[in-house]
Amino acid sequence: VIALDTRSFRSAFEKRKNKTLCSRGGWEFFSAPDATVLGDEQWAWLERQLEQSADVRLIVSSIQVLPTEQCFEKWANFSAERERLLALIAKKTAGGVILLSGDRHLSEISVLERDDIGYPLYEVTSSGLNNALKGRFDVAEEPNSLRALPDNVSENGFGEIAIAPHGKSDTLVEMRLFNEAGTLLQSLS
């Protein structure tokens, strides 16, 4: 488990209301081309972590990494930093990376196919356990062309990652989203 601090070293950014971008929220973010999310020291640390031997690496980010279309905080507001993270995963040939994020008041599973990474890169966004949007918006108001399943989950709930050996040398990973009563709503292996 690799937990990133995406707040302490993040460069300043500007945000302005722009309802033409999204009907819900409608924030537009601006950052300098050299803006950072992690800062130099944390980038160096992350590089060393990705060099460690592991079958599965769970990279935790407080904000979404893969989705680019929603109008709230996300790595895409710092597009060079998002690309740097994806390129680092590819460069280190760090297999088995799964991204975990939150801060959206909804849950969803996203997937990005990139030839240089060599496998589908999944992100499980799980939030909120007690403050989800609970159907207060239409799924069309939450665009995400990388969504792996047709819908997101807008009710209180939580996510779970199940990791188990599979055969002699493989590992099976199942990504699950539950509602607050513990009912499985979505699952992807």
Side-chain angles (χ1 to χ4, degrees):
V1 176
I2 302 169
L4 302 177
D5 177 352
T6 63
R7 296 279 194 248
S8 298
F9 310 102
R10 183 174 66 188
S11 297
F13 60 86
E14 179 185 339
K15 76 179 187 181
R16 288 183 243 151
K17 279 287 194 182
N18 183 345
K19 288 289 190 180
T20 61
L21 290 176
C22 297
S23 58
R24 203 178 76 74
W27 290 104
E28 187 172 15
F29 291 80
F30 301 92
S31 61
D34 62 343
T36 187
V37 173
L38 302 181
D40 292 337
E41 188 176 323
Q42 190 173 190
W43 273 113
W45 172 83
L46 176 58
E47 189 166 344
R48 291 189 305 274
Q49 298 311 301
L50 292 176
E51 292 169 350
Q52 302 298 315
S53 176
D55 294 329
V56 178
R57 294 169 177 85
L58 303 176
I59 298 179
V60 182
S61 171
S62 64
I63 56 176
Q64 285 186 312
V65 177
L66 298 182
T68 59
E69 297 141 324
Q70 51 96 342
C71 290
F72 299 96
E73 287 191 60
K74 59 190 175 290
W75 276 73
N77 296 336
F78 300 85
S79 57
E81 287 287 90
R82 179 182 181 270
E83 177 53 35
R84 182 178 179 181
L85 177 61
L86 298 173
L88 181 63
I89 292 169
K91 174 185 164 193
K92 293 300 176 182
T93 59
V97 171
I98 298 172
L99 303 165
L100 305 177
S101 64
D103 194 28
R104 288 303 331 282
H105 304 279
L106 61 83
S107 299
E108 64 186 354
I109 300 172
S110 304
V111 62
L112 177 67
E113 300 273 354
R114 275 180 57 139
D115 290 339
D116 60 342
I117 292 177
Y119 57 88
L121 180 61
Y122 286 93
E123 177 173 351
V124 179
T125 302
S126 178
S127 60
L129 184 56
N130 66 349
N131 192 21
L133 293 173
K134 295 184 184 178
R136 290 180 281 178
F137 63 90
D138 185 279
V139 70
E141 295 177 291
E142 285 292 330
N144 180 0
S145 60
L146 299 177
R147 194 173 288 128
L149 299 170
D151 255 340
N152 58 28
V153 175
S154 64
E155 56 186 285
N156 289 346
F158 59 94
E160 177 180 88
I161 304 289
I163 303 170
H166 184 72
K168 291 188 185 243
S169 60
D170 290 329
T171 303
L172 180 65
V173 176
E174 186 177 4
M175 299 163 279
R176 304 172 184 154
L177 298 175
F178 296 86
N179 67 15
E180 64 185 326
T183 303
L184 180 64
L185 301 176
Q186 291 187 352
S187 176
L188 195 60
S189 297

